[in-house]
Amino acid sequence: MQLPKTYEPSQYEADIYALWEKSGAFTADPTTNKERFSIAMPPPNETGTLGIHHSVFLTLQDIMARYNRLQGKDVLWLPGTDHAAIAVNAIIEKRLADEGTNKHEIGRDEFLRRTIDFVSQSRGTMLSQMRAMGASCDWSRLRYTMDPGLNRVVNEVFVKMYNDGLIYRGHRIVNWDPNLETNISDDEVEYAEETTTLYTFKYGPFEISTARPETKFGDKYVVMHPDDKRYKQYKHGDTFTAEWINGPVTATVIKDEAIDPKFGTGVMTITPWHSMVDFEIAEQHGLEKTQIIDFHGKLLPIAQEFAGMDIADARPKIVEKLAKKGLLVGTDTNYVHNIARNERGKGIIEPQIRLQWFIDVTKASVAWKGKQRSLKQVLQDVMREGDIELLPKRFEKVYFHWIDNLRDWCISRQIWWGHRIPAWYRTHTDGTTETYVGMQPPVDDASEGWNQWEQDPDTLDTWFSSALWTWSTLIDPTLAEDPKLSLADLLRLSPDFQAYHPTSVLETGWDILFFWVARMILSTTYATGQVPFKTVYLHGLIRAEDGKKMSKSRPESIIDPLDVIPKYGTDALRMALIMGVSPGNDQNWGWGKVEANRNFCNKLWNIARYVEGVTSDKYTPGSTPKPRTAADHWVLGKLHHATEILSKHLDNYRFSEAYEHLYHFVWDDVADWYIEASKSQDDSEILGYVLENTLKLAHPFAPFVTETIWQTLYSDTDSLLITSTWPKPQQASKQQATQFEELKTIIAETRALVKQLGLARPNLYYTDVPFLAENASLLARMARLESVREVSSGTGLQLTSTHHHCWLDVDTGMLKAYADKLAEQITAQERIVVQLKGRLANKSYVANAPKAIVAQTRQQLAEAEASLERLRTEHTRFQAA
RNA sequence: GGGUGAUUAGCUCAGCUGGCUAGAGCGCAGCAUUCACAUUGCUGAGGUCAUAGGUUCGAGUCCUAUAUCACCCACCA
């Protein structure tokens, strides 16, 4: 079959992907004895479509999967999607609002029906996008965070943690979003600076400041630092009467070190129901807490005439009333503070006290390495003791810092989309209540005066289920249907869990280090006694071309992979996403990079076309032809070197460096030098060999074009590149390779001289260099020489870059320009010689530097001196002439 | 308030454990062209590696300050 002139990716990609998928190449096999390599794909949120940031992780993980597969390992790359509770919920609620209805009107069942419709549609789109990126993941093991088997595991872990006392239910202050009517975890809150007004009011004998007068109805404590001399006369627990918004209140003095005496008057009143800090002060001193604002953001009856009003409406009216009473003593309209919002839906967070489920991160109830530790301690230990390695390493510091600030994790959400909490409550006619937590609903027992059990209406934080992802996905779904088996049984009996866990590496963006990575470590160590993965590779985020975040508010900044792929090809997109990128650092999108890599694919294509033209029927993959020419030996050496370098970089997750080496191997070594050289010498066997191995090296990066070439050239073998093996190139003669390096040097100098001096095709003369005779036609062709001839003594310009005696046959008398050029080169070379000599003259350098380095310097000096000598000789000769 | 990263060619960025006579892509200048590829080839210009100190035989790389930018965490009434 013949390769057309230009590579048109869109003509092949779908067929090639189908070929791979059909071949079973993606499917892992836990029954083999091969070494394992496993990755759990970070499940994308089922919120519609995949974006360019998904392309980044699909590319990186696919490179790892394909490389390890070529290395002969049994590879499992397990794909999946996430139900993304709050994110999806926010979308559905927005759609309902657009229709003029809401979730309460349509009810829980209808809401869930619509949600399931939406996510199934999203999922279909997203899975086809993963295929378009070339993802070689094991579709037979596709998982979804709401699968029955995964739901079973979620409940098992919840119940286990509850029984171990690690999950508890309690009244705590939480981040309440009145828009979505749910609370969210600390990590889901985002802060933005806002300029607002800070009011100062008279409060009894004190002055207090607030940006939120509407929360102040129930304030009846004034707090100050115990060491604040200004308020020495007031003792902790003193009471006084103050005129306040709706008449006089009795207030109590509290002394607490949390107060900053330098801020404002050094005195504040507290609102424990609606402030995290106030809540903690109140807890510490056992103070009363009163709710002022309801869960829809409206004032409660305690506000009297303001009851039922929205915060925004009430605030100015309250200030006005206090001002009328003469209690307003100051306003600062330039007060800057941070406003808390839900990162999903952007609702303004109102701290509220609610009865919620929490995971206790400080209780020492986790068995890890034979000791009882807290979840926090295990999180620290696995990193400190090297069970898990973070790349880049600097994120370890960020990780530890996060753990230091970690508080109990609030896991219940008041939304309907998600894993329902496996807890049931019932009340007795005498008013007592009971809680039951378990895998199955409890059985009603009406005779005793109990009302029916009712399940907690709340669902779990999405991250509670994704935290189990590396292993809940490996549990056999059929086994998971058997209620008689325990969680430990499920782990023990599932072949995939036994074969692939802990996973080899987790690859994800640094932005979800806390949300996901840390929580996987937390839950997995607890539930399975294993770490979820050994290495975490964190990639950077991709920004718009101007370096700013891609954002929905600037639609033109968003790059859709599906706009790039048809035009440039998936391979070009993949390589653009890894080129020049280092772990943990963000990168800017660049159309230039896509074009460069489209060109690279075309280069591969044309190398194949050339080889196809000269080798048709002469080469079968897997051959080991003998090198004959200097160029053969040279290119085999380069291939050997490239294989080593790529392996080393890929083993160490240095994708960009691996790719850069590949790029230059293919373009410079193979295309520009070896193929050009081969045009003068018939080496079709080695050409075929080099192409075969080059395709293997390039396959992890550019799977489509390489497989397309493979299928076309080797169509009669029915082998697949994806399941072939990583090159083990044969050794070649170093001495012969060096000869080719000499040829390259001679060609390069000749080309430069011809160019710079404006020469027409000169002749090249040489004395007594056998390999020049052997490669005369190559030399003539590549250096564009009229002829290459052996002489007894040469005339013209003597080449200075080689120690062999070669001359370009030109009229030296006219070449003042050449003399000037030589003079320049001499100056440059002298500088290098001086530098190297200086280094070697330095006794401590020779004594302290590694021997190899010193030897290298000596050699560099010898070469530099020889080169300088040649330059000088030639220069002298010219000046004499 | 605490922390992290960045600062290298006109632009966007690599440079891992110090050995650099500092690289890539794009861009730029010049030349070439029915020979695999103009999605090309060849040649070339372009950098006191932010600044100031220090450690070292040797610093783009390590340390200490400073400046600018970006981000993360905490959050004060």
Side-chain angles (χ1 to χ4, degrees):
Chain A
M1 210 162 118
Q2 270 213 319
L3 293 166
K5 187 165 174 179
T6 312
Y7 173 57
E8 293 292 346
S10 54
Q11 290 181 12
Y12 307 97
E13 289 184 355
D15 291 344
I16 290 288
Y17 194 88
L19 180 71
W20 288 329
E21 199 172 343
K22 200 171 130 230
S23 76
F26 299 164
T27 313
D29 180 4
T31 64
T32 65
N33 295 323
K34 291 177 180 176
E35 194 183 334
R36 314 284 180 196
F37 181 82
S38 57
I39 308 184
M41 178 191 292
N45 289 350
E46 291 185 335
T47 49
T49 53
L50 297 186
I52 198 79
H53 52 289
H54 296 105
S55 301
V56 173
F57 82 63
L58 289 168
T59 299
L60 289 166
Q61 291 168 34
D62 194 50
I63 290 171
M64 294 188 221
R66 286 177 190 270
Y67 168 66
N68 281 283
R69 208 177 278 124
L70 288 172
Q71 291 277 15
K73 294 180 194 167
D74 172 39
V75 171
L76 171 61
W77 182 20
L78 189 142
T81 53
D82 193 296
H83 69 285
I86 287 191
V88 166
N89 199 86
I91 289 172
I92 304 295
E93 290 209 29
K94 173 144 194 321
R95 290 187 170 193
L96 291 176
D98 290 347
E99 287 175 33
T101 181
N102 63 55
K103 67 174 179 181
H104 301 295
E105 274 180 27
I106 64 167
R108 189 163 188 149
D109 289 343
E110 172 63 11
F111 184 88
L112 289 178
R113 198 191 60 73
R114 288 185 182 221
T115 306
I116 289 165
D117 272 0
F118 171 76
V119 296
S120 344
Q121 207 172 9
S122 295
R123 191 181 315 144
T125 312
M126 291 162 60
L127 298 184
S128 70
Q129 287 179 300
M130 291 178 190
R131 288 181 163 90
M133 280 306 296
S136 63
C137 45
D138 186 346
W139 296 111
S140 71
R141 289 175 167 83
L142 178 67
R143 293 290 185 271
Y144 170 45
T145 48
M146 289 284 272
D147 282 343
L150 275 73
N151 178 250
R152 159 96 191 257
V153 174
V154 164
N155 289 334
E156 292 277 3
V157 173
F158 187 97
V159 172
K160 180 172 157 71
M161 286 187 137
Y162 179 79
N163 292 336
D164 284 347
L166 286 168
I167 282 184
Y168 67 91
R169 192 175 186 226
H171 282 98
R172 292 285 181 284
I173 191 153
V174 295
N175 305 295
W176 176 256
D177 175 356
N179 280 9
L180 291 179
E181 295 176 32
T182 183
N183 48 251
I184 57 171
S185 69
D186 295 344
D187 292 308
E188 287 164 305
V189 179
E190 63 179 24
Y191 294 89
E193 266 195 1
E194 204 180 68
T195 304
T196 184
T197 306
L198 182 71
Y199 303 96
T200 304
F201 300 109
K202 216 171 145 36
Y203 188 80
F206 303 101
E207 284 183 2
I208 57 116
S209 298
T210 182
R212 303 203 54 194
E214 70 278 5
T215 64
K216 295 289 163 194
F217 291 98
D219 288 12
K220 51 188 177 184
Y221 302 100
V222 286
V223 192
M224 59 209 72
H225 197 279
D227 301 335
D228 195 330
K229 295 208 175 72
R230 289 170 291 179
Y231 307 112
K232 229 165 84 185
Q233 72 268 37
Y234 301 101
K235 299 275 173 294
H236 181 83
D238 284 358
T239 58
F240 61 92
T241 305
E243 179 58 26
W244 198 226
I245 311 169
N246 291 325
V249 291
T250 303
T252 310
V253 172
I254 301 293
K255 301 266 179 167
D256 193 291
E257 293 185 347
I259 302 301
D260 176 6
K262 290 193 281 295
F263 186 91
T265 58
V267 182
M268 70 173 200
T269 62
I270 58 167
T271 313
W273 200 285
H274 298 293
S275 155
M276 304 284 173
V277 176
D278 294 4
F279 177 85
E280 273 166 28
I281 293 172
E283 283 282 279
Q284 198 139 17
H285 299 281
L287 310 180
E288 285 176 37
K289 309 174 189 99
T290 314
Q291 184 173 12
I292 314 294
I293 298 163
D294 74 8
F295 298 119
H296 306 287
K298 293 194 185 338
L299 288 165
L300 287 164
I302 189 171
Q304 296 183 13
E305 60 184 283
F306 303 101
M309 290 175 79
D310 277 336
I311 291 165
D313 299 337
R315 188 179 294 175
K317 298 203 170 82
I318 294 163
V319 173
E320 197 188 325
K321 184 169 183 188
L322 284 162
K324 269 192 193 146
K325 289 186 169 197
L327 296 173
L328 177 65
V329 294
T331 55
D332 172 3
T333 52
N334 288 319
Y335 179 66
V336 178
H337 76 150
N338 282 326
I339 187 152
R341 289 176 189 272
N342 184 352
E343 61 168 13
R344 302 286 179 191
K346 310 295 175 195
I348 295 177
I349 297 300
E350 183 68 67
Q352 293 275 12
I353 295 176
R354 292 183 63 96
L355 182 56
Q356 296 296 322
W357 288 98
F358 294 85
I359 290 182
D360 187 330
V361 294
T362 49
K363 186 173 177 181
S365 306
V366 186
W368 180 253
K369 291 191 177 174
K371 273 193 205 148
Q372 290 295 110
R373 310 185 201 199
S374 70
L375 290 167
K376 244 186 181 188
Q377 286 169 329
V378 177
L379 280 169
Q380 291 164 330
D381 290 349
V382 291
M383 199 64 67
R384 203 177 285 133
E385 292 166 16
D387 299 300
I388 295 176
E389 176 195 29
L390 275 188
L391 289 175
K393 200 170 167 54
R394 65 182 140 90
F395 279 100
E396 286 183 8
K397 211 166 179 176
V398 184
Y399 174 88
F400 283 120
H401 186 246
W402 177 79
I403 296 172
D404 290 341
N405 288 311
L406 185 61
R407 296 188 293 182
D408 287 358
W409 173 14
C410 178
I411 52 171
S412 45
R413 298 291 182 271
Q414 288 66 52
I415 56 177
W416 290 340
W417 180 233
H419 293 281
R420 191 131 173 211
I421 291 177
W424 286 261
Y425 315 109
R426 67 174 178 180
T427 52
H428 196 268
T429 42
D430 68 9
T432 55
T433 59
E434 257 192 359
T435 299
Y436 172 84
V437 170
M439 293 302 295
Q440 302 297 329
V443 179
D444 285 315
D445 182 10
S447 61
E448 302 284 336
W450 288 100
N451 293 315
Q452 287 198 335
W453 287 103
E454 282 188 31
Q455 187 170 7
D456 194 317
D458 286 0
T459 52
L460 286 164
D461 181 4
T462 242
W463 299 105
F464 187 92
S465 56
S466 26
L468 315 175
W469 185 247
T470 60
W471 59 277
S472 60
T473 52
L474 297 176
I475 286 181
D476 189 308
T478 315
L479 293 176
E481 285 170 16
D482 183 350
K484 291 190 295 295
L485 296 173
S486 68
L487 182 58
D489 292 335
L490 292 176
L491 294 175
R492 187 169 46 81
L493 297 172
S494 295
D496 283 359
F497 179 81
Q498 292 301 322
Y500 302 113
H501 206 269
T503 58
S504 311
V505 58
L506 179 82
E507 195 291 317
T508 191
W510 57 257
D511 54 324
I512 52 173
L513 178 60
F514 308 139
F515 280 121
W516 194 41
V517 180
R519 282 168 181 166
M520 277 197 282
I521 299 173
L522 181 153
S523 301
T524 305
T525 49
Y526 166 73
T528 70
Q530 297 182 1
V531 292
F533 29 69
K534 294 161 203 158
T535 301
V536 180
Y537 179 92
L538 297 166
H539 64 249
L541 309 184
I542 183 148
R543 294 178 306 221
E545 206 159 10
D546 60 5
K548 299 194 180 110
K549 270 189 182 168
M550 288 191 188
S551 114
K552 283 184 191 146
S553 60
R554 295 186 307 140
E556 75 285 357
S557 70
I558 296 178
I559 302 292
D560 182 347
L562 292 185
D563 289 340
V564 182
I565 289 172
K567 195 164 166 220
Y568 294 94
T570 301
D571 294 337
L573 171 60
R574 289 165 60 111
M575 293 185 285
L577 292 173
I578 59 157
M579 190 169 139
V581 175
S582 48
N585 289 336
D586 294 350
Q587 61 165 319
N588 296 355
W589 172 256
W591 286 104
K593 287 205 255 183
V594 182
E595 277 181 32
N597 288 297
R598 187 255 333 249
N599 296 355
F600 179 68
C601 292
N602 193 56
K603 181 55 78 172
L604 277 170
W605 187 258
N606 276 290
I607 288 171
R609 283 186 70 212
Y610 177 78
V611 176
E612 181 188 32
V614 296
T615 63
S616 48
D617 302 334
K618 287 186 198 158
Y619 183 79
T620 45
S623 315
T624 48
K626 287 268 170 297
R628 292 182 295 107
T629 64
D632 288 347
H633 287 277
W634 176 84
V635 79
L636 289 180
K638 287 288 181 187
L639 176 63
H640 190 85
H641 186 233
T643 305
E644 271 185 354
I645 296 280
L646 259 72
S647 307
K648 195 183 87 187
H649 284 322
L650 288 174
D651 288 338
N652 290 297
Y653 306 100
R654 291 204 276 264
F655 303 101
S656 171
E657 282 134 303
Y659 174 62
E660 195 176 317
H661 195 94
L662 172 75
Y663 183 95
H664 290 288
F665 169 69
V666 169
W667 205 304
D668 302 349
D669 296 343
V670 176
D672 289 346
W673 284 106
Y674 185 67
I675 287 190
E676 288 307 317
S678 77
K679 285 176 182 172
S680 308
Q681 296 163 334
D682 179 20
D683 309 57
S684 61
E685 293 281 281
I686 297 289
L687 264 176
Y689 179 83
V690 168
L691 175 63
E692 180 196 345
N693 286 288
T694 300
L695 292 174
K696 291 175 173 185
L697 291 179
H699 182 73
F701 303 92
F704 285 108
V705 67
T706 51
E707 185 77 76
T708 304
I709 294 169
W710 188 279
Q711 290 309 318
T712 312
L713 294 190
Y714 311 136
S715 52
D716 49 342
T717 65
D718 74 73
S719 69
L720 290 172
L721 177 54
I722 189 177
T723 48
S724 68
T725 53
W726 193 243
K728 290 184 197 69
Q730 46 176 318
Q731 288 288 350
S733 152
K734 282 220 173 71
Q735 194 210 334
Q736 298 241 55
T738 309
Q739 289 182 356
F740 190 74
E741 284 293 340
E742 278 302 312
L743 290 170
K744 281 181 67 189
T745 306
I746 292 166
I747 291 164
E749 189 182 357
T750 306
R751 281 171 175 171
L753 286 173
V754 164
K755 194 79 178 180
Q756 286 161 23
L757 304 176
L759 307 176
R761 285 176 167 263
N763 297 302
L764 184 110
Y765 298 149
Y766 64 91
T767 56
D768 192 29
V769 190
F771 76 88
L772 287 187
E774 287 160 27
N775 293 284
S777 64
L778 182 158
L779 208 50
R781 180 193 169 84
M782 292 190 74
R784 300 179 60 77
L785 296 161
E786 190 60 34
S787 71
V788 175
R789 267 179 271 163
E790 184 161 6
V791 293
S792 50
S793 73
T795 56
L797 308 180
Q798 184 169 356
L799 300 186
T800 56
S801 60
T802 173
H803 62 273
H804 298 299
H805 298 292
C806 302
W807 294 267
L808 290 182
D809 163 40
V810 290
D811 177 5
T812 54
M814 300 169 64
L815 296 174
K816 183 177 178 311
Y818 183 59
D820 293 346
K821 181 175 159 332
L822 283 174
E824 262 174 48
Q825 285 182 341
I826 286 170
T827 314
Q829 199 66 22
E830 278 171 347
R831 218 180 307 130
I832 291 167
V833 168
V834 166
Q835 200 180 338
L836 291 170
K837 272 190 174 161
R839 197 179 296 170
L840 287 165
N842 181 339
K843 288 210 174 69
S844 28
Y845 170 70
V846 178
N848 296 331
K851 278 195 179 118
I853 297 287
V854 177
Q856 191 189 319
T857 308
R858 288 217 169 87
Q859 201 193 332
Q860 283 169 346
L861 178 62
E863 280 166 14
E865 281 182 324
S867 161
L868 180 59
E869 189 52 36
R870 288 195 296 272
L871 287 164
R872 279 184 174 148
T873 310
E874 188 66 359
H875 191 240
T876 312
R877 208 162 63 78
F878 263 83
Q879 283 183 326

